[in-house]
Amino acid sequence: AQTVTQSQPEMSVQEAETVTLSCTYDTSENNYYLFWYKQPPSRQMILVIRQEAYKQQNATENRFSVNFQKAAKSFSLKISDSQLGDTAMYFCAFMKHLPSGTYKYIFGTGTRLKVLA
Amino acid sequence: GAGVSQTPSNKVTEKGKYVELRCDPISGHTALYWYRQSLGQGPEFLIYFQGTGAADDSGLPNDRFFAVRPEGSVSTLKIQRTERGDSAVYLCASSFRTRGLAPYNEQFFGPGTRLTVL
């Protein structure tokens, strides 16, 4: 069964500093997608970054980048130049293939990130 | 609409009552998903619709929960005889296409409905 583990329940970082959130997952699939979502107090799940497993190059989106280690099944998120607006829950997610032909997300338990002024 | 919308934003009910939660997906998205997010947890899959039919309901916790999507657009999640353990945020997501890997399967989430059962 696929599982997603986020071992850091809470983290804090000073504004303008860099922070890394960890995520590991378990799957027997070879082709898949991994995601990081941000969930602010408004509850809206916002896609931060996406990584295709068949791509060796790590995905980057402005201040956000990932360190994808396929063999180790690790998918960490690095936030550079942290901003107060980055304060939120961050969820790592694995896109799992369903027998019905579509996909569902398997989410980790989340990491609460607080950016300090 | 511009995004997935869900109503109501918050719902407070008493144990044993019946509730309905509504989801309006992004126009043109054929796939619709319901997730439940309990306090301190990540969202957990409940049910997936392709068009009007429930293609996968393996995540529904018991027969008190069911969902419909009669015209292939708006969906309603229905909970009978609510229990305190049903208290959670119920998230809806939609995606453009159902087959093949992302990005076309990328799911876009609504703001959720917070259900509180007293």
Side-chain angles (χ1 to χ4, degrees):
Chain A
Q2 280 86 353
T3 59
V4 177
T5 302
Q6 294 179 251
S7 59
Q8 304 152 313
E10 293 187 3
M11 292 192 73
S12 61
V13 62
Q14 287 295 135
E15 195 175 8
E17 297 294 310
T18 295
V19 64
T20 299
L21 309 183
S22 66
C23 173
T24 58
Y25 60 95
D26 186 28
T27 183
S28 58
E29 297 181 15
N30 190 45
N31 292 325
Y32 50 89
Y33 277 73
L34 294 160
F35 302 82
W36 278 97
Y37 275 89
K38 169 185 177 181
Q39 187 179 44
S42 66
R43 301 196 304 253
Q44 185 81 49
M45 296 284 278
I46 302 166
L47 178 65
V48 174
I49 199 164
R50 172 181 64 227
Q51 173 77 43
E52 296 93 327
Y54 62 86
K55 288 188 177 180
Q56 291 187 333
Q57 185 174 7
N58 288 327
T60 63
E61 286 289 340
N62 301 313
R63 298 183 295 108
F64 300 88
S65 62
V66 299
N67 182 5
F68 174 49
Q69 303 289 330
K70 189 174 183 180
K73 296 180 181 174
S74 171
F75 182 59
S76 61
L77 174 70
K78 184 170 83 171
I79 306 175
S80 304
D81 185 25
S82 297
Q83 300 175 359
L84 296 177
D86 295 334
T87 293
M89 284 289 289
Y90 286 81
F91 291 97
C92 178
F94 172 91
M95 184 173 265
K96 171 180 164 55
H97 179 254
L98 289 171
S100 53
T102 190
Y103 296 82
K104 69 178 182 183
Y105 288 127
I106 304 292
F107 287 91
T109 53
T111 295
R112 184 177 302 280
L113 176 67
K114 179 177 275 190
V115 179
L116 307 172
Chain B
V4 179
S5 62
Q6 292 186 246
T7 55
S9 177
N10 292 281
K11 176 71 177 177
V12 180
T13 190
E14 294 179 343
K15 181 184 174 199
K17 298 290 188 182
Y18 167 83
V19 296
E20 291 189 351
L21 311 179
R22 176 188 169 106
C23 171
D24 280 85
I26 292 172
S27 178
H29 281 194
T30 59
L32 186 146
Y33 308 79
W34 284 98
Y35 291 82
R36 180 169 70 174
Q37 185 176 17
S38 300
L39 189 64
Q41 301 295 317
E44 293 180 312
F45 171 80
L46 294 176
I47 187 170
Y48 148 65
F49 285 90
Q50 169 53 34
T52 60
D56 191 311
D57 63 358
S58 60
L60 293 179
N62 51 61
D63 61 6
R64 295 186 297 106
F65 289 75
F66 65 103
V68 296
R69 194 186 186 198
E71 298 179 356
S73 178
V74 170
S75 177
T76 304
L77 178 66
K78 308 183 181 194
I79 310 174
Q80 298 177 317
R81 305 183 303 280
T82 51
E83 300 177 356
R84 292 193 180 88
D86 299 335
S87 295
V89 173
Y90 290 82
L91 295 167
C92 176
S94 67
S95 69
F96 174 65
R97 205 165 76 182
T98 60
R99 294 196 177 268
L101 280 172
Y104 298 107
N105 257 306
E106 180 179 320
Q107 297 178 20
F108 296 83
F109 287 83
T113 294
R114 181 181 299 281
L115 175 66
T116 303
V117 182
L118 301 176

